[in-house]
Amino acid sequence: EADIYQTPRYLVIGTGKKITLECSQTMGHDKMYWYQQDPGMELHLIHYSYGVNSTEKGDLSSESTVSRIRTEHFPLTLESARPSHTSQYLCASRTGFTDTQYFGPGTRLTVL
Amino acid sequence: AQTVTQSQPEMSVQEAETVTLSCTYDTSESDYYLFWYKQPPSRQMILVIRQEAYKQQNATENRFSVNFQKAAKSFSLKISDSQLGDAAMYFCAYRSLFTGGGNKLTFGTGTQLKVEL
């Protein structure tokens, strides 16, 4: 398995809370991604980064924000969680020299 | 925009048998990459196999092989000698070489593979 980590793995919170989903990789990859995946459904890209200080929005509109201050770290933040944010969030990374994206184990978020 | 279609929401296979998962895609590009990813229950998504569109030879990885038909825009995955550990959701994915968007992957809706004794 690839060296890409996500914490927490599971999170249940109440509406209106601010949360940060952590993603870290130890492979030195410059490109990182956040995908949202509803149960039994395909993945949709919500954010990506080409490298430090680079962040872009993906195909699926999301109220979340991301930052990339360090190469290995790409956290995702929700300022005020809502039940519509309930989903699984997958982080991925890759180097510019390969086409393979390596995925983290995911964070399953439930907002009550 | 590219689209990826997996028309089989679920498939079943007997242990040691062979199964083929279907994938079709739509693109106007001539060069791109195609992937099959495996997502076991509650576990990490991992790459199974990849194919470059400019290569005519079908990719193989041990028990996994693809049937890439570029003109038909078809990219099926064959799993030989199926094992219990092959049970998972399988996603077909497309990546353009030339468009922006961080060279993102476009995924199909997945095929849930069950392996029976």
Side-chain angles (χ1 to χ4, degrees), chain A residues 3-16:
Chain A
D3 296 324
I4 179 165
Y5 310 98
Q6 290 184 245
T7 57
R9 292 292 310 277
Y10 302 92
L11 180 61
V12 181
I13 60 166
T15 297

Side-chain angles (χ1 to χ4, degrees), chain A residues 45-82:
Chain A
L45 181 70
I46 52 174
H47 298 284
Y48 62 95
S49 169
Y50 288 112
V52 172
N53 294 326
S54 155
T55 61
E56 303 286 345
K57 290 190 178 295
D59 299 328
L60 183 66
S61 176
S62 174
E63 294 167 346
S64 59
T65 59
V66 293
S67 62
R68 190 87 184 276
I69 299 173
R70 302 199 316 264
T71 298
E72 64 271 21
H73 197 212
F74 191 41
L76 181 145
T77 298
L78 276 167
E79 290 293 334
S80 180
R82 293 206 299 268

